[in-house]
Amino acid sequence: MVSKKIFIVFVLPVIFSIVFGSAVMSDILQKPDRELHLLPMSTGGLSIQNSSIEIIGLSKQYSTSEPVEIQIKVRDSSFDCGDLYVTIYSSTNDVVTQGGYFEQCFEKGSNMIPTDDEFSKSIETPGSYEIVAEMVSKQLKSASARGSFTVK
């Protein structure tokens, strides 16, 4: 009697968890176009640009009184509308500031975003920083660009 209760309370949930987890993992592995987004890693001062988007207006050095102002140039027409996220990380990968620009659709003849707005943030602490811009299209495709700069 006691062994049946132990089986029902402890063993049976473990078996169900393994079966359910295996089914979920099997479904995920059947979709080869899935992307895995990890925390951004330092680029060692290199500027990495994705062929779909590019950071425009980023200087290598700023003073503490000068704001970081950038725009994003979109090169891939599948990203004509979507959400733009801009994040600045410190040298220890801590988030310093973030900006989100939703429903960004660039106008014909212009492929610069954010539209009717600009990313402008002042950083008052000297040091090395990395900026990451990520565009997520309406079709849930994503593209990102990175750049490094220092504040003195």
Side-chain angles (χ1 to χ4, degrees), residues 29 49 56 59 69 73 76 88 92 101 116 122 128 137:
L29 292 174
Q49 304 298 331
I56 303 294
S59 298
E69 294 179 344
K73 181 177 183 178
D76 186 347
I88 297 178
T92 59
Y101 304 90
D116 300 328
S122 294
S128 297
S137 73

Side-chain angles (χ1 to χ4, degrees), residues 72-131:
I72 306 302
K73 181 177 183 178
V74 179
R75 295 180 176 174
D76 186 347
S77 62
S78 66
F79 290 97
D80 62 347
C81 281
D83 298 334
L84 172 67
Y85 304 96
V86 180
T87 309
I88 297 178
Y89 296 93
S90 68
S91 58
T92 59
N93 282 336
D94 293 327
V95 174
V96 175
T97 186
Q98 281 185 311
Y101 304 90
F102 304 106
E103 299 291 324
Q104 292 292 304
C105 297
F106 57 81
E107 301 157 0
K108 291 193 185 245
S110 172
N111 56 354
M112 303 292 276
I113 52 175
T115 54
D116 300 328
D117 203 350
E118 66 179 25
F119 180 83
S120 178
K121 302 290 181 184
S122 294
I123 299 176
E124 299 172 355
T125 306
S128 297
Y129 295 90
E130 180 179 33
I131 188 165

Side-chain angles (χ1 to χ4, degrees), residues 4-122:
K4 282 186 179 183
K5 288 182 181 179
I6 290 175
F7 179 77
I8 291 173
V9 173
F10 295 108
V11 178
L12 197 57
V14 171
I15 293 171
F16 284 137
S17 296
I18 292 172
V19 170
F20 181 71
S22 298
V24 169
M25 287 300 290
S26 174
D27 182 54
I28 289 172
L29 292 174
Q30 296 300 319
K31 298 176 183 174
D33 59 337
R34 292 184 61 93
E35 294 183 15
L36 178 63
H37 296 283
L38 299 175
L39 292 174
M41 295 181 221
S42 176
T43 59
L46 298 175
S47 178
I48 300 172
Q49 304 298 331
N50 185 301
S51 61
S52 299
I53 67 172
E54 178 182 356
I55 298 174
I56 303 294
L58 182 65
S59 298
K60 294 288 181 195
Q61 185 172 328
Y62 294 91
S63 68
T64 54
S65 61
E66 182 182 8
V68 177
E69 294 179 344
I70 63 158
Q71 284 193 305
I72 306 302
K73 181 177 183 178
V74 179
R75 295 180 176 174
D76 186 347
S77 62
S78 66
F79 290 97
D80 62 347
C81 281
D83 298 334
L84 172 67
Y85 304 96
V86 180
T87 309
I88 297 178
Y89 296 93
S90 68
S91 58
T92 59
N93 282 336
D94 293 327
V95 174
V96 175
T97 186
Q98 281 185 311
Y101 304 90
F102 304 106
E103 299 291 324
Q104 292 292 304
C105 297
F106 57 81
E107 301 157 0
K108 291 193 185 245
S110 172
N111 56 354
M112 303 292 276
I113 52 175
T115 54
D116 300 328
D117 203 350
E118 66 179 25
F119 180 83
S120 178
K121 302 290 181 184
S122 294

